[in-house]
Amino acid sequence: MGILGTCLIVLSCFSFAYGDASYQETLNLRPLPRNKLLSTFDFKIDSLPFDPSYQGTPDGPQKNLNHYTLFPSSLGPIIESTNTRELSLRFTQGWWDAQSWGKLPYDGSFSGGTGVEVLALIEAPSIDVARKHWSRLTKNLSGFFCASLNFIDKDITTFPKYAIQDSNIGNYKPEAGNKLYLLRAALPSEPVCTENLTPFLKLLPTGGKAGISSLLDGHKVFDSLWHGMSVDIVSECTGEGLCKLNLYQTVSQVIDIVRSLRKKEEGGIPKPTPGEKLRCDTSKDYNIWQCFPLSDPTELQWSLQTLYGRTIKGPAFEGDQEVSKVIIDHDPSVWNVTLQKESPTFVATRSFDTHGSNTIVESITEPYDYDFKFSTSNSSKVVPIEAPPLYVSRSLTGYSLDKGGLRVVFTNPGTEDVTFTYFESLPWFMRLYLSTLDITLKNSTGTFHIKDHSQFIRSRCYKPAVDRERPSHLEFVFSVPALSTLALTYDFDKSLLLYREYPPDANHGFDVEPAVIRVKNENNGGVYEFRTTSLLLTLPTPDFSMPYNVIILTCTVLSLAFGTMFNLLTKKTVTEEEFELASQQTNLAKLKRAISSRVNMLKTKVE
């Protein structure tokens, strides 16, 4: 056949292997009010079809790994060995201002609560086997993403009930005798840093070296008002008994443009603004000692190079116009967007004419450095913000160290009733009393105390906590009337922990994970999902200095008692004359006398 024929066969095999696998990446930019910018990086990877048969033990025979082409081979075996059919991993820090910024990106489908949140759909013959797979999965993900997921234990793991309706979107059917178990856990106090971004980029085919992922820098991503990373894996199956893994990765952040510009000019260390650069209200008295500051400027000029310190390093794969795209949502009447393509020997600049459209779609196809430059005369004028269908605030009530309460307020700003699922997982040391549940309704006609809870609670699921074994699992299906506010309150007791169960900073308090709200449509499908803020609970904390004082006092008393008894038992009391007589009979005294006599004899002979 020859070398040429062999090469053609190999190339045709590779073309077939990559034919069904796909990769897409998108960067969405949208200016927000008050000089903020929402940037969302979206990556999608599909694997080749494979046999998803159940793997009983991780030490069993290995499957054929030929379906790993663009899909990361480092993450795939973890998913398959634990029989995980769906996985959702969230890293989030900051607070999303829904009233100013509107809805979350992607309607909250890829956004989590503060800290780290993991949810998995696992196939297993029993719940005990599912827990074992869950434990292996969290420990593997902990090492893979440099997170503290290894601290996830059964005392913070829950099995959501109503959320299962929106899971298994890939139509996967378990084998005979197996079931699908949905497990969830969260670590609200887990910090998100650059160590989590590095393995995130390694999952991409480009490794963060080309395409829009080349913009991602940990120092820039995490220096934002709100940021979140997500990794979602879904098993999509066909009727032929084959499945493929779909990997969705997103990085979202809200950037303060004015602060980024100031840091670029002044450096990383904050400095006082010089007097000549202060923006003062000239209608009032101002001098070098007093100034009534104005709001942030509305005339701005910035670029991707300004915000991220780098540009887009060409496309992910050259020659494919559908792989790398940049989408910009703006108001063309006041915003001017310019594209600059640059190489060592080439520079080209092009302005966009959207013909009245608010959206710019630009494909990254050429091996140049792409930089998008923005200028505006009125940064307060942006694309209309879409308000979320529901606002929720959650807070702790009471100030006692043995009792407390929780208050959740749901506000429906729309003109139609809103139906949603409210999920909450409380730690076992918060002893919840569901009998104290109270609901108050407030609308345009007044405030009413609701006695019949079934008017607004369509269904509920409650699993009480078991000390050190299981958290409190609470799920409600609520319906809030239009233009109304619904307040939910209930009480709980605070448990006293064991000495070893307190963290080193026990007086700081204990973090309570955010609640999850999933707004539904008429067909009970999820249309919007978001989280509340986390809570900081103060528990009765002992004085940890007392054990130290007890140890010191005990050691002092024991040393004094032991020293006294030891002296009495081992030492003998003698007079001074007896001591001198006894000291003359020692070997050392005899040696001294012998040496002294010999020296005296030598002196006598010399004389």
Side-chain angles (χ1 to χ4, degrees), residues 93-145:
Q93 285 292 328
W95 174 66
W96 177 267
D97 188 358
Q99 294 185 350
S100 299
W101 305 337
K103 283 187 174 182
L104 286 164
Y106 305 103
D107 289 332
S109 300
F110 300 113
S111 301
T114 303
V116 178
E117 178 183 333
V118 58
L119 185 142
L121 190 66
I122 297 178
E123 179 183 358
S126 64
I127 190 172
D128 294 332
V129 177
R131 287 184 180 274
K132 293 181 180 179
H133 290 327
W134 169 256
S135 178
R136 291 190 64 252
L137 175 65
T138 54
K139 288 178 172 57
N140 289 333
L141 293 177
S142 174
F144 192 91
F145 288 99

Side-chain angles (χ1 to χ4, degrees), residues 193-207:
C193 54
T194 55
E195 284 78 5
N196 307 125
L197 181 63
T198 301
F200 180 93
L201 294 177
K202 291 183 178 180
L203 296 177
L204 302 175
T206 60

Side-chain angles (χ1 to χ4, degrees), residues 48 101 110 235 275 284 412 536 577:
L48 291 175
W101 305 337
F110 300 113
S235 300
K284 300 179 181 179
N412 180 8
L536 189 62
E577 292 78 6

Side-chain angles (χ1 to χ4, degrees), residues 187-366:
L187 299 173
S189 59
E190 176 73 10
V192 182
C193 54
T194 55
E195 284 78 5
N196 307 125
L197 181 63
T198 301
F200 180 93
L201 294 177
K202 291 183 178 180
L203 296 177
L204 302 175
T206 60
K209 304 299 182 181
I212 65 172
S213 62
S214 59
L215 281 178
L216 293 175
D217 179 20
H219 298 88
K220 302 295 183 179
V221 171
F222 300 115
D223 184 21
S224 54
L225 302 178
W226 175 88
H227 57 264
M229 297 191 309
S230 68
V231 177
D232 289 74
I233 299 178
V234 178
S235 300
E236 182 179 352
C237 302
T238 61
E240 301 177 356
L242 297 178
C243 297
K244 65 177 182 179
L245 296 176
N246 298 332
L247 172 61
Y248 302 90
Q249 295 179 247
T250 64
V251 177
S252 303
Q253 59 177 149
V254 176
I255 305 173
D256 189 338
I257 299 176
V258 175
R259 188 177 69 175
S260 298
L261 295 175
R262 185 171 62 248
K263 289 186 65 175
K264 184 175 180 59
E265 295 178 359
E266 301 176 357
I269 301 177
K271 300 177 182 178
T273 303
E276 62 273 9
K277 293 185 178 181
L278 289 175
R279 302 180 68 255
C280 302
D281 188 355
T282 57
S283 62
K284 300 179 181 179
D285 295 337
Y286 69 96
N287 49 46
I288 60 175
W289 302 108
Q290 62 180 4
C291 173
F292 293 91
L294 297 174
S295 58
D296 292 334
T298 57
E299 295 184 5
L300 294 177
Q301 292 183 356
W302 50 273
S303 64
L304 295 182
Q305 174 72 33
T306 305
L307 301 182
Y308 292 97
R310 56 181 69 177
T311 57
I312 300 176
K313 303 298 182 182
F317 303 120
E318 295 184 10
D320 193 340
Q321 298 184 359
E322 300 298 327
V323 173
S324 304
K325 291 184 179 181
V326 177
I327 302 176
I328 303 174
D329 295 327
H330 71 304
D331 189 342
S333 62
V334 294
W335 287 88
N336 182 26
V337 182
T338 304
L339 171 62
Q340 178 176 314
K341 295 188 292 185
E342 184 178 356
S343 70
T345 59
F346 172 82
V347 176
T349 303
R350 174 167 59 92
S351 298
F352 292 97
D353 186 4
T354 60
H355 303 285
S357 175
N358 294 336
T359 304
I360 296 175
V361 180
E362 179 68 19
S363 298
I364 309 297
T365 58
E366 299 176 301

Side-chain angles (χ1 to χ4, degrees), residues 83 85-86 119-131 134 158-160 164 177-184:
N83 298 293
R85 306 312 175 197
E86 291 186 16
L119 185 142
L121 190 66
I122 297 178
E123 179 183 358
S126 64
I127 190 172
D128 294 332
V129 177
R131 287 184 180 274
W134 169 256
T158 56
F159 294 80
I164 192 68
N178 292 345
K179 295 182 180 180
L180 295 177
Y181 296 91
L182 185 66
L183 296 92
R184 179 191 178 277

Side-chain angles (χ1 to χ4, degrees), residues 416 419 458 520-525 527:
E416 297 181 358
T419 302
R458 296 186 176 182
K520 299 184 176 182
N521 54 19
E522 297 179 355
N523 300 324
N524 289 330
V527 296

